[in-house]
Amino acid sequence: MSATYDLHSHTTHSDGTLLPGELVARAHANGVAALALTDHDATDGVREAAAAAAALGLRLIPGVEISATWQRETVHVLGLCIDVDDERLQHGLARLRDFRVRRAQEIGRRLGKKHIDDAYNHARAFARGAVISRTHFARFLVAQGYVATMGQAFKQYLGRGRFAHVPSEWASLEEVVGWIKGSGGVAALAHPARYRLTSSKLRRLLREFKDCGGAAMEVVCGAQAPGESAHLTQLARDTDLLASAGSDYHGPEKPWVDLGKLAPLPAEVEPVWSLFPAPYRAHALLQ
Ligand code: AMP
Ligand code: MN
Ligand code: MN
Ligand code: MN
């Protein structure tokens, strides 16, 4: 029997809706043997999740999903098996969270021009002191009836090219991968098919990511179109990257894939967990 890894998930410490303990309990109930908590630009939930996981005999992999800017596009890089006490990593994440606050103020200002009042403070209330995200604006827009769904909030206001979309200045790929590797972690490019890059540009991104020290890319992720995983398998083989698998679970609110409910990694790719230090490998648990 192969162990179930789920290497991408969120809690209330960024834009997820479950507390770390609730997330871990759900992962355990779904048969996950090793779960990476990868909140956006923050690691605050990791300790609590690790404590909950230890009590259940589940392996908690300390992780983070870091926002990067590559060729004016936002891309997300997962840091897996990181040391959350690493100073350079935490300094970098703090810088990104500062930018998030300034960006959120600007999003609020822009929504104000459309007579959506006080959106910044409302979004802050949804974030409850955690990392502020466009997701919190989307929840506010749905709750107040400005739009019917989260998807609509992005389509109408928050998505790229829309009125309240603020061009972002995240960290460079080199910086992000440097922080992750400097903290002893493994860098994996998240959801490569979601960036809507041309095929040649996506290949360039993957090559540059690898040149910076990136080790893996997600091949199996939540909400994949049919055939997407086969395409990503080919890309991982062509670019000599290892393969990661993660649901990107944000809570029951999103009708996406549930924790651990992922297709197995195709046999043609090498799993990213072959690089993990022994304590983070789930098969150790199954022997
Ligand atoms: P941010 O990192 O603040 O720019 O917000 C990005 C987050 O918004 C992603 O991590 C998703 O959780 C969420 N998101 C992006 N697009 C959509 C969408 N179309 N529908 C629902 N959530 C979305
Ligand atoms: Mn998110
Ligand atoms: Mn992401
Ligand atoms: Mn994510």
Side-chain angles (χ1 to χ4, degrees), residues 9 13 23 31 41 89 91 95 103 105-106 108 115 118 123 132 141 146 185 198 225 233-234 244-245 262 282 286-287:
S9 67
H13 288 279
L23 181 85
D41 304 325
L89 170 68
H91 194 260
R95 187 183 108 201
R103 180 185 68 150
Q105 288 164 340
E106 176 62 16
H115 309 290
D118 215 18
I132 192 157
L141 291 169
Y146 289 106
T198 61
T233 295
Q234 193 55 49
S244 190
L262 292 163
L286 295 176
Q287 282 162 3

Coordinates of all heavy atoms in Angstrom, one line a residue, residues 9 13 23 31 41 89 91 95 103 105-106 108 115 118 123 132 141 146 185 198 225 233-234 244-245 262 282 286-287:
S9 N -2.1 22.8 1.3 CA -3.3 23.0 2.0 C -3.3 24.4 2.8 O -2.2 24.9 3.1 CB -3.7 21.9 3.0 OG -2.7 21.9 4.1
H13 N -5.0 30.7 9.0 CA -3.8 31.6 9.1 C -3.5 32.3 7.7 O -2.6 33.2 7.7 CB -2.6 30.8 9.6 CG -2.7 30.5 11.1 ND1 -2.4 31.4 12.0 CD2 -3.2 29.4 11.7 CE1 -2.7 30.9 13.2 NE2 -3.2 29.7 13.1
L23 N -8.1 21.1 10.2 CA -7.6 20.7 8.9 C -6.9 19.3 9.1 O -7.2 18.4 8.3 CB -6.6 21.7 8.4 CG -5.9 21.4 7.1 CD1 -6.8 21.9 6.0 CD2 -4.5 22.0 7.0
G31 N -7.8 9.8 5.3 CA -6.7 8.8 5.0 C -5.4 9.3 4.6 O -4.5 8.6 4.1
D41 N 2.3 32.8 2.3 CA 3.3 33.8 2.8 C 3.3 33.8 4.4 O 3.6 34.9 5.0 CB 3.0 35.2 2.3 CG 3.0 35.2 0.8 OD1 3.8 34.5 0.2 OD2 2.2 36.0 0.2
L89 N 14.1 33.3 5.9 CA 12.8 33.0 5.3 C 11.7 33.9 6.0 O 10.9 34.4 5.3 CB 12.5 31.5 5.6 CG 11.1 31.0 5.4 CD1 10.8 31.0 3.9 CD2 10.8 29.6 5.9
H91 N 12.0 36.7 7.4 CA 12.2 38.1 7.0 C 11.6 38.3 5.6 O 10.8 39.3 5.4 CB 13.7 38.4 7.0 CG 14.0 39.9 6.9 ND1 14.4 40.5 5.7 CD2 14.0 40.8 7.8 CE1 14.5 41.8 5.9 NE2 14.3 42.0 7.2
R95 N 8.1 40.6 4.6 CA 8.1 41.7 3.5 C 6.9 41.5 2.6 O 6.2 42.4 2.2 CB 9.4 41.5 2.7 CG 9.6 42.6 1.7 CD 10.9 42.4 0.9 NE 10.6 41.9 -0.4 CZ 11.5 41.2 -1.2 NH1 12.7 40.9 -0.7 NH2 11.1 40.9 -2.4
R103 N -1.3 46.5 -0.6 CA -2.2 46.1 -1.8 C -3.6 46.1 -1.4 O -4.5 46.6 -2.1 CB -1.8 44.7 -2.3 CG -2.6 44.3 -3.5 CD -2.3 42.9 -3.9 NE -2.7 41.9 -3.0 CZ -3.0 40.6 -3.2 NH1 -3.1 40.2 -4.5 NH2 -3.4 39.8 -2.3
Q105 N -5.1 47.8 1.0 CA -5.6 49.2 1.1 C -6.0 49.8 -0.3 O -7.0 50.4 -0.4 CB -4.5 50.1 1.8 CG -4.4 49.7 3.3 CD -3.1 50.3 3.9 OE1 -2.2 50.6 3.2 NE2 -3.1 50.4 5.2
E106 N -5.1 49.5 -1.3 CA -5.4 50.0 -2.6 C -6.6 49.3 -3.2 O -7.4 49.9 -3.9 CB -4.1 49.7 -3.5 CG -4.3 50.1 -5.0 CD -4.6 51.6 -5.2 OE1 -4.4 52.4 -4.3 OE2 -5.1 51.9 -6.3
G108 N -9.1 48.3 -1.5 CA -10.3 48.9 -0.9 C -10.6 50.3 -1.5 O -11.7 50.6 -1.7
H115 N -18.4 52.6 -5.3 CA -19.4 52.7 -4.3 C -19.6 51.4 -3.4 O -20.6 51.1 -2.9 CB -20.8 53.1 -4.8 CG -20.6 54.3 -5.7 ND1 -20.3 55.6 -5.1 CD2 -20.7 54.5 -7.0 CE1 -20.2 56.4 -6.1 NE2 -20.4 55.8 -7.3
D118 N -15.8 50.9 2.4 CA -15.2 50.3 3.6 C -14.7 48.9 3.4 O -14.6 48.1 4.3 CB -16.1 50.4 4.8 CG -15.4 50.6 6.1 OD1 -14.2 51.1 6.0 OD2 -15.9 50.3 7.2
A123 N -12.7 43.4 4.7 CA -11.9 42.3 4.3 C -11.0 41.9 5.5 O -10.7 40.7 5.8 CB -11.0 42.6 3.1
I132 N -3.7 38.9 4.9 CA -4.9 39.4 4.1 C -4.7 39.0 2.6 O -3.7 39.1 2.1 CB -5.2 40.9 4.3 CG1 -6.6 41.2 3.8 CG2 -4.1 41.7 3.7 CD1 -7.2 42.5 4.4
L141 N -17.5 40.5 -0.6 CA -18.4 40.8 -1.7 C -19.6 39.9 -1.8 O -20.7 40.3 -2.2 CB -17.6 40.9 -3.0 CG -16.5 42.0 -3.1 CD1 -15.6 41.8 -4.3 CD2 -17.2 43.4 -3.2
Y146 N -22.9 41.8 -3.3 CA -22.4 42.5 -4.5 C -22.2 41.5 -5.6 O -22.4 41.9 -6.8 CB -21.1 43.1 -4.2 CG -21.2 44.3 -3.3 CD1 -20.7 44.3 -2.0 CD2 -21.7 45.5 -3.8 CE1 -20.8 45.4 -1.1 CE2 -21.8 46.7 -3.0 CZ -21.4 46.6 -1.6 OH -21.5 47.7 -0.8
G185 N 14.6 23.6 3.0 CA 13.4 23.1 2.4 C 13.5 22.7 0.9 O 14.6 22.9 0.3
T198 N 1.5 30.8 -22.2 CA 1.6 30.0 -23.5 C 2.5 28.8 -23.1 O 3.3 28.9 -22.2 CB 2.3 30.8 -24.6 OG1 3.6 31.2 -24.1 CG2 1.5 32.1 -24.9
A225 N -8.3 20.0 -14.9 CA -9.1 19.7 -16.1 C -8.7 18.3 -16.6 O -7.5 17.9 -16.3 CB -8.9 20.7 -17.2
T233 N 2.7 15.8 -16.4 CA 3.7 14.7 -16.3 C 4.8 14.8 -17.4 O 6.0 14.7 -17.1 CB 3.0 13.4 -16.5 OG1 2.1 13.2 -15.4 CG2 3.9 12.2 -16.5
Q234 N 4.3 15.1 -18.6 CA 5.3 15.3 -19.7 C 6.2 16.5 -19.5 O 7.4 16.4 -19.7 CB 4.5 15.5 -21.0 CG 5.3 15.4 -22.3 CD 6.0 14.0 -22.3 OE1 5.5 13.0 -22.1 NE2 7.4 14.1 -22.5
S244 N 5.0 16.8 -7.5 CA 4.3 16.9 -6.2 C 2.8 16.7 -6.4 O 2.3 16.8 -7.6 CB 4.6 18.3 -5.7 OG 4.2 18.4 -4.3
A245 N 2.1 16.5 -5.3 CA 0.7 16.2 -5.4 C 0.1 16.9 -4.2 O 0.5 16.7 -3.0 CB 0.4 14.7 -5.3
L262 N -6.9 12.8 -4.1 CA -6.2 13.1 -5.3 C -5.9 11.8 -6.0 O -5.7 10.7 -5.4 CB -4.8 13.7 -4.9 CG -4.9 15.1 -4.2 CD1 -3.6 15.4 -3.5 CD2 -5.2 16.1 -5.3
A282 N 6.2 9.6 4.5 CA 5.0 8.9 5.2 C 5.2 7.4 5.2 O 4.7 6.7 6.1 CB 3.7 9.2 4.4
L286 N 4.2 3.5 7.7 CA 3.4 2.3 7.3 C 4.1 1.0 7.5 O 3.5 0.0 7.3 CB 3.0 2.5 5.8 CG 2.0 3.7 5.6 CD1 1.8 3.8 4.1 CD2 0.7 3.5 6.3
Q287 N 5.4 1.1 7.8 CA 6.1 -0.2 7.9 C 5.8 -1.0 9.2 O 5.3 -0.4 10.1 CB 7.6 0.1 7.9 CG 8.1 0.4 6.5 CD 9.4 1.1 6.4 OE1 10.0 1.4 7.5 NE2 9.8 1.5 5.2

